[in-house]
Amino acid sequence: MVNQIMINRGFLTASPGTVFWNVAALDGSQLMRDVIADGVFQHQALIPETPWIDMPALSPFKLEYQQQAESIVLRWQHTTPEHVAHSLVYTQYGDDWHYQIYTPDVNWLKVNKTKEGQSLNAVKVIAVDRLGNQSPATEIAFK
Protein backbone atom coordinates (compact mmCIF):
# COMPACT_ATOMS: atom_id res chain seq x y z
CA MET A 1 0.00 0.00 0.00
CA VAL A 2 2.79 2.43 0.86
CA ASN A 3 4.51 1.69 -2.46
CA GLN A 4 1.24 2.30 -4.34
CA ILE A 5 0.81 5.67 -2.61
CA MET A 6 4.40 6.70 -3.39
CA ILE A 7 4.08 5.61 -7.04
CA ASN A 8 0.81 7.54 -7.31
CA ARG A 9 2.48 10.65 -5.89
CA GLY A 10 5.67 10.31 -7.94
CA PHE A 11 4.51 9.30 -11.40
CA LEU A 12 1.00 10.59 -11.69
CA THR A 13 1.51 14.32 -11.30
CA ALA A 14 -2.10 15.06 -12.23
CA SER A 15 -3.42 12.61 -9.62
CA PRO A 16 -5.76 14.24 -7.09
CA GLY A 17 -5.03 11.62 -4.45
CA THR A 18 -5.36 7.99 -3.42
CA VAL A 19 -8.52 6.00 -2.76
CA PHE A 20 -8.56 2.73 -0.83
CA TRP A 21 -11.30 0.43 -2.01
CA ASN A 22 -10.73 -2.14 0.70
CA VAL A 23 -9.06 -1.19 3.95
CA ALA A 24 -9.06 -4.72 5.37
CA ALA A 25 -5.25 -4.67 5.37
CA LEU A 26 -5.38 -1.87 7.94
CA ASP A 27 -7.92 -3.52 10.23
CA GLY A 28 -5.69 -6.10 11.88
CA SER A 29 -2.23 -4.62 11.51
CA GLN A 30 -0.99 -2.05 13.99
CA LEU A 31 2.33 -2.00 12.11
CA MET A 32 0.58 -1.09 8.83
CA ARG A 33 -1.46 1.63 10.56
CA ASP A 34 1.70 3.07 12.12
CA VAL A 35 3.63 2.99 8.83
CA ILE A 36 0.82 4.81 7.04
CA ALA A 37 0.10 7.35 9.83
CA ASP A 38 3.75 8.13 10.56
CA GLY A 39 4.88 7.95 6.94
CA VAL A 40 2.89 8.77 3.84
CA PHE A 41 -0.10 10.27 5.68
CA GLN A 42 1.69 12.14 8.47
CA HIS A 43 0.39 15.53 7.32
CA GLN A 44 -3.17 16.80 7.49
CA ALA A 45 -5.08 17.05 4.20
CA LEU A 46 -8.24 18.68 2.95
CA ILE A 47 -10.77 17.10 0.64
CA PRO A 48 -10.21 18.09 -3.00
CA GLU A 49 -11.95 21.26 -4.16
CA THR A 50 -15.33 20.78 -5.83
CA PRO A 51 -15.81 23.99 -7.81
CA TRP A 52 -18.45 22.39 -10.07
CA ILE A 53 -20.97 22.37 -7.20
CA ASP A 54 -22.61 25.77 -6.87
CA MET A 55 -21.54 27.43 -3.64
CA PRO A 56 -21.03 31.10 -2.91
CA ALA A 57 -17.37 32.09 -3.21
CA LEU A 58 -15.71 32.54 0.15
CA SER A 59 -14.37 35.95 0.98
CA PRO A 60 -10.95 36.15 2.63
CA PHE A 61 -10.51 36.24 6.38
CA LYS A 62 -9.88 39.50 8.20
CA LEU A 63 -6.55 38.87 9.93
CA GLU A 64 -5.11 40.82 12.86
CA TYR A 65 -2.01 40.22 14.90
CA GLN A 66 -0.39 41.35 18.12
CA GLN A 67 3.36 41.10 18.65
CA GLN A 68 4.66 39.79 21.95
CA ALA A 69 8.24 39.29 23.10
CA GLU A 70 8.84 35.85 21.59
CA SER A 71 5.60 35.23 19.71
CA ILE A 72 2.84 36.71 17.61
CA VAL A 73 -0.85 36.20 18.39
CA LEU A 74 -2.98 35.88 15.24
CA ARG A 75 -6.75 36.39 15.21
CA TRP A 76 -8.97 35.88 12.19
CA GLN A 77 -12.65 36.54 11.52
CA HIS A 78 -14.92 35.81 8.60
CA THR A 79 -17.93 37.80 7.39
CA THR A 80 -19.94 34.57 6.90
CA PRO A 81 -18.58 32.14 9.49
CA GLU A 82 -21.41 29.69 8.79
CA HIS A 83 -19.80 28.97 5.40
CA VAL A 84 -16.37 28.18 6.85
CA ALA A 85 -15.63 24.51 7.55
CA HIS A 86 -11.88 24.89 8.15
CA SER A 87 -9.18 27.50 8.56
CA LEU A 88 -5.94 26.78 6.75
CA VAL A 89 -2.99 28.57 8.35
CA TYR A 90 0.43 28.71 6.68
CA THR A 91 3.55 29.94 8.46
CA GLN A 92 6.82 30.66 6.69
CA TYR A 93 10.08 30.28 8.61
CA GLY A 94 13.08 31.05 6.42
CA ASP A 95 12.18 29.62 3.01
CA ASP A 96 10.03 26.78 4.40
CA TRP A 97 6.24 26.93 4.55
CA HIS A 98 4.32 24.87 7.12
CA TYR A 99 0.56 24.52 7.42
CA GLN A 100 -2.06 23.48 9.92
CA ILE A 101 -5.78 22.88 9.40
CA TYR A 102 -8.16 24.09 12.11
CA THR A 103 -11.84 23.54 12.85
CA PRO A 104 -14.20 26.53 12.67
CA ASP A 105 -14.20 27.02 16.45
CA VAL A 106 -10.50 27.98 16.35
CA ASN A 107 -10.01 31.62 15.36
CA TRP A 108 -6.70 32.52 16.96
CA LEU A 109 -3.20 31.12 17.16
CA LYS A 110 0.03 31.96 18.94
CA VAL A 111 3.11 31.41 16.74
CA ASN A 112 6.75 31.72 17.72
CA LYS A 113 8.85 34.41 16.07
CA THR A 114 11.59 31.83 15.47
CA LYS A 115 11.56 28.10 14.75
CA GLU A 116 14.68 25.93 14.46
CA GLY A 117 16.84 29.04 14.10
CA GLN A 118 14.70 30.55 11.34
CA SER A 119 12.71 33.78 11.67
CA LEU A 120 9.00 33.98 10.95
CA ASN A 121 8.70 35.70 7.56
CA ALA A 122 5.00 35.46 6.76
CA VAL A 123 1.62 34.05 7.71
CA LYS A 124 -1.28 33.19 5.37
CA VAL A 125 -4.80 32.31 6.48
CA ILE A 126 -7.35 30.78 4.09
CA ALA A 127 -11.03 29.95 4.64
CA VAL A 128 -12.20 26.55 3.37
CA ASP A 129 -15.85 25.63 2.84
CA ARG A 130 -17.40 22.19 3.38
CA LEU A 131 -16.73 21.30 -0.27
CA GLY A 132 -13.01 22.07 -0.04
CA ASN A 133 -13.22 25.35 -1.96
CA GLN A 134 -10.78 27.96 -0.68
CA SER A 135 -10.94 31.72 -0.25
CA PRO A 136 -8.15 34.01 -1.39
CA ALA A 137 -5.32 34.06 1.15
CA THR A 138 -4.93 36.86 3.66
CA GLU A 139 -1.20 37.33 4.19
CA ILE A 140 0.96 39.26 6.61
CA ALA A 141 4.72 39.60 6.03
CA PHE A 142 7.13 40.06 8.94
CA LYS A 143 10.36 41.20 7.30
Side-chain angles (χ1 to χ4, degrees):
M1 289 176 68
V2 171
N3 289 341
Q4 289 175 340
I5 294 166
M6 296 310 292
I7 288 169
N8 193 20
R9 289 180 180 172
F11 293 117
L12 303 174
T13 57
S15 173
T18 302
V19 175
F20 299 103
W21 183 257
N22 186 341
V23 294
L26 298 177
D27 284 344
S29 172
Q30 183 65 44
L31 175 62
M32 180 60 83
R33 283 194 298 267
D34 291 345
V35 165
I36 297 238
D38 296 337
V40 294
F41 288 151
Q42 63 182 308
H43 300 289
Q44 294 176 300
L46 294 167
I47 64 169
E49 292 181 324
T50 52
W52 58 88
I53 298 177
D54 191 28
M55 282 286 286
L58 283 173
S59 59
F61 277 117
K62 177 184 176 189
L63 179 60
E64 298 175 347
Y65 68 96
Q66 180 182 30
Q67 296 217 27
Q68 297 180 342
E70 301 293 322
S71 61
I72 295 174
V73 176
L74 305 165
R75 296 188 192 286
W76 56 91
Q77 292 180 331
H78 201 270
T79 56
T80 55
E82 65 275 10
H83 293 165
V84 177
H86 295 94
S87 300
L88 180 56
V89 179
Y90 286 92
T91 52
Q92 183 189 32
Y93 290 91
D95 293 331
D96 297 328
W97 285 94
H98 306 272
Y99 71 90
Q100 189 74 32
I101 301 168
Y102 296 98
T103 56
D105 59 320
V106 176
N107 63 354
W108 73 277
L109 177 65
K110 187 177 198 176
V111 295
N112 292 328
K113 289 184 178 180
T114 60
K115 181 178 182 179
E116 298 173 0
Q118 299 288 323
S119 295
L120 178 66
N121 292 332
V123 172
K124 291 182 185 180
V125 182
I126 299 170
V128 183
D129 69 17
R130 65 182 179 82
L131 298 175
N133 302 309
Q134 298 181 13
S135 73
T138 302
E139 184 173 355
I140 299 174
F142 300 101
K143 292 186 180 183

